[in-house]
């Protein structure tokens, strides 16, 4: 019986050592700046996702509403103007590639703004960390 107890105690000690090693590895990975996202990256991603979701929710009705509006508008314009109303629609369809170009450019600019904001948030986060460090050790004048 004593042998069994000793062996289980030894396993507990070995298991505890393994747990400590795993915890040290996790801490080392958490301190590594390349290990994952820091706070400012997460905040920026969450803000961007929140904006996208709110835009999607506010515009989702266009999927079923837009075709009805186009048909009704075409009918009324045809009654008022005749065949010349369809010339206006032709101009709208011809301007579609220009609209696509402008939208792609706006997306590219927005990505640049987000990257710049992420850099600024990183610098600000580091500055706040330094101020906290100085306050903690009372290195003020």
């Amino acid at each position: 019986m004593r042998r069994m107890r000793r062996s289980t105690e030894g396993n507990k000690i070995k298991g505890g050592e393994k747990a400590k090693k795993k915890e040290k590895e996790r801490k080392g990975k958490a301190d590594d700046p390349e290990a994952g996202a820091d706070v400012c990256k997460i905040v920026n991603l969450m803000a961007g996702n929140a904006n996208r979701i709110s835009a999607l929710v506010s515009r989702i009705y266009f999927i079923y509403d837009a075709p009805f509006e186009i048909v009704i508008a075409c009918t009324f314009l045809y009654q008022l103007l005749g065949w010349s109303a369809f010339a206006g629609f032709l101009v709208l369809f011809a301007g579609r590639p220009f609209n696509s170009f402008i939208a792609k450019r706006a997306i590219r600019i927005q990505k640049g703004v987000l990257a710049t904001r992420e850099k600024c948030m990183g610098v600000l986060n580091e500055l706040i960390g330094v101020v906290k460090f100085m306050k903690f050790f009372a290195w003020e004048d």
Side-chain angles (χ1 to χ4, degrees), residues 91-107:
V91 170
L92 286 175
F93 289 128
R96 177 84 174 144
F98 180 69
N99 186 19
S100 177
F101 170 75
I102 296 295
K104 287 178 184 177
R105 183 177 168 125
I107 290 170

Side-chain angles (χ1 to χ4, degrees), residues 6-138:
R6 288 181 185 164
S7 64
T8 55
E9 289 174 4
N11 286 341
K12 287 181 183 178
I13 292 171
K14 287 180 184 177
E17 290 174 2
K18 288 180 183 178
K20 288 180 183 178
K21 286 181 182 178
K22 287 182 181 180
E23 187 176 333
K24 286 181 182 179
E25 288 177 6
R26 276 189 280 152
K27 285 183 180 179
K29 288 180 182 176
D31 293 338
D32 186 15
E34 296 178 5
D38 58 350
V39 175
C40 54
K41 285 184 182 178
I42 293 171
V43 169
N44 280 335
L45 289 174
M46 287 179 61
N49 288 342
N51 287 336
R52 288 182 187 144
I53 290 172
S54 67
L56 176 71
V57 169
S58 67
R59 294 183 184 124
I60 195 85
Y61 74 94
F62 283 134
I63 293 173
Y64 62 86
D65 191 39
F68 293 122
E69 287 182 9
I70 291 171
V71 169
I72 292 170
C74 285
T75 305
F76 287 147
L77 281 175
Y78 179 72
Q79 288 177 355
L80 286 174
L81 302 173
W83 287 102
S84 61
F86 294 109
F89 284 111
L90 185 65
V91 170
L92 286 175
F93 289 128
R96 177 84 174 144
F98 180 69
N99 186 19
S100 177
F101 170 75
I102 296 295
K104 287 178 184 177
R105 183 177 168 125
I107 290 170
R108 191 174 43 222
I109 290 171
Q110 182 68 22
K111 286 182 180 179
V113 167
L114 286 175
T116 304
R117 185 181 300 161
E118 185 177 321
K119 287 179 185 176
C120 291
M121 289 291 289
V123 170
L124 187 64
N125 193 17
E126 187 176 340
L127 180 67
I128 290 172
V130 168
V131 170
K132 285 181 183 178
F133 184 77
M134 289 176 66
K135 289 274 190 186
F136 181 73
F137 286 109

